[in-house]
Amino acid sequence: MGFHHFGADSAPTLLLVHGADTTWERSFSRAIPLLSRHFHVVAYGMSGFDSTEDTTFRNARAEAERIIGFIDSELDGMLTCLYAHSLGCQTATYVAHHERVLTTILDGAVYANTGSFTPAMARLEEPLARFLASDTLRKIASFTGLPVLSGGVSDAIYLGASRQSYRNTAWSNLAWSADLHTLEPRPQARVHLWWGERERRAVRPTQRLMTRIFPSLQSKEFRGFSHGDLCARHPELLTQEITVVARSHTESGPQDQSAQVDHSPGR
């Protein structure tokens, strides 16, 4: 199935793209009821990570091609807003580069060029996912009280994907990191880069490279947040932030490029 619809068809369309080793339900189930008050929400299930399909995740480019095909065939070639988290930011980068989206929001686009370590990372991806979903991690989180481990990480992990799907996420990280150096600039693309304060160092390389590709890039840091906090723990704030950004660009029209880079912290 891949594309899961919520809210009124007549509302502006918002496409949600989840991150690695999880699903659209586990990522967006709390936010969708709120977002669907303002948007026709389409939650995209990555190939290999959607229980309604028998597919394999190959790479972010392949997922982008699938989304672009959906936009062209189902949305008359234009999407109001695309929000992507973590690994989903890779796919969203390619979609935004094709200029099929009025507004693109990349949340937690961590630069993950693992270079020569990629084969090892690929082999470890599935065991790591199983560890993150295990009772062992829950016990560690309970014992240590570490916020990164106790923030619902275990509940977000999906273990129904094939071994190849897990491994391919690591190779997709490498390919996307390399493409950030070579993609041609798209001055008219409206792209917002968001990150949590605690993941700043991991996202800053992405910001530098994204600014070359998307010269009108607007950035925002959410004070006190870690990777995935906005998406997983704060559905009300996520809804508010997406709505403000989407509406501002919808009202100003697709050709306006007056937005300035904003480095102010979030709430």
Side-chain angles (χ1 to χ4, degrees):
M1 184 176 180
F3 298 89
H4 307 269
H5 298 255
F6 306 88
D9 292 344
S10 59
T13 302
L14 167 68
L15 182 68
L16 305 175
V17 183
H18 63 82
D21 302 345
T22 187
T23 66
W24 66 269
E25 301 105 319
R26 293 167 187 250
S27 296
F28 304 120
S29 60
R30 295 176 61 197
I32 285 175
L34 303 176
L35 289 166
S36 59
R37 298 173 185 172
H38 308 279
F39 301 97
H40 168 211
V41 178
V42 180
Y44 177 61
M46 288 273 194
S47 298
F49 295 91
D50 190 327
S51 60
T52 66
E53 297 183 313
D54 183 14
T55 53
T56 299
F57 177 85
R58 291 189 293 146
N59 53 58
R61 275 192 179 272
E63 297 303 297
E65 291 172 3
R66 192 178 181 195
I67 289 174
I68 291 170
F70 170 81
I71 294 172
D72 288 342
S73 63
E74 302 295 329
L75 304 178
D76 297 325
M78 184 59 68
L79 174 68
T80 301
C81 185
L82 191 163
Y83 169 85
H85 174 251
S86 194
L87 177 74
C89 295
Q90 299 176 13
T91 293
T93 299
Y94 297 121
V95 178
H97 198 253
H98 279 269
E99 299 181 344
R100 296 295 202 279
V101 188
L102 185 58
T103 303
T104 302
I105 302 170
L106 310 176
D107 181 6
V110 173
Y111 186 73
N113 188 346
T114 50
S116 60
F117 293 99
T118 304
M121 296 297 295
R123 289 192 295 271
L124 290 172
E125 188 70 28
E126 182 184 17
L128 177 61
R130 295 193 177 280
F131 170 70
L132 291 175
S134 68
D135 288 337
T136 301
L137 179 62
R138 296 175 192 272
K139 291 176 181 177
I140 293 174
S142 176
F143 178 75
T144 62
L146 291 175
V148 173
L149 296 180
S150 59
V153 173
S154 299
D155 294 333
I157 297 298
Y158 176 66
L159 297 179
S162 67
R163 179 175 298 175
Q164 193 62 50
S165 287
Y166 290 111
R167 289 184 174 183
N168 286 348
T169 61
W171 290 105
S172 185
N173 286 335
L174 180 66
W176 175 73
S177 299
D179 284 343
L180 291 182
H181 293 270
T182 60
L183 288 174
E184 295 181 1
R186 290 290 186 267
Q188 293 184 343
R190 289 170 163 174
V191 179
H192 293 250
L193 182 63
W194 294 353
W195 65 83
E197 180 183 12
R198 296 174 184 173
E199 60 177 341
R200 179 189 303 160
R201 291 185 179 179
V203 177
R204 278 296 169 85
T206 305
Q207 183 191 25
R208 290 193 295 270
L209 294 168
M210 284 281 186
T211 301
R212 181 190 65 81
I213 303 168
F214 305 116
S216 297
L217 184 77
Q218 298 185 58
S219 301
K220 186 167 186 175
E221 178 177 290
F222 290 83
R223 185 173 297 164
F225 283 18
S226 298
H227 186 71
D229 279 355
L230 181 64
C231 178
R233 301 190 201 181
H234 301 279
E236 294 86 0
L237 180 58
L238 176 66
T239 299
Q240 175 184 316
E241 295 286 343
I242 290 176
T243 302
V244 168
V245 169
R247 284 181 174 172
S248 67
H249 288 317
T250 301
E251 292 169 359
S252 62
Q255 299 303 316
D256 178 32
Q257 300 175 46
S258 60
Q260 301 297 314
V261 176
D262 174 19
H263 293 289
S264 61
R267 283 167 292 227

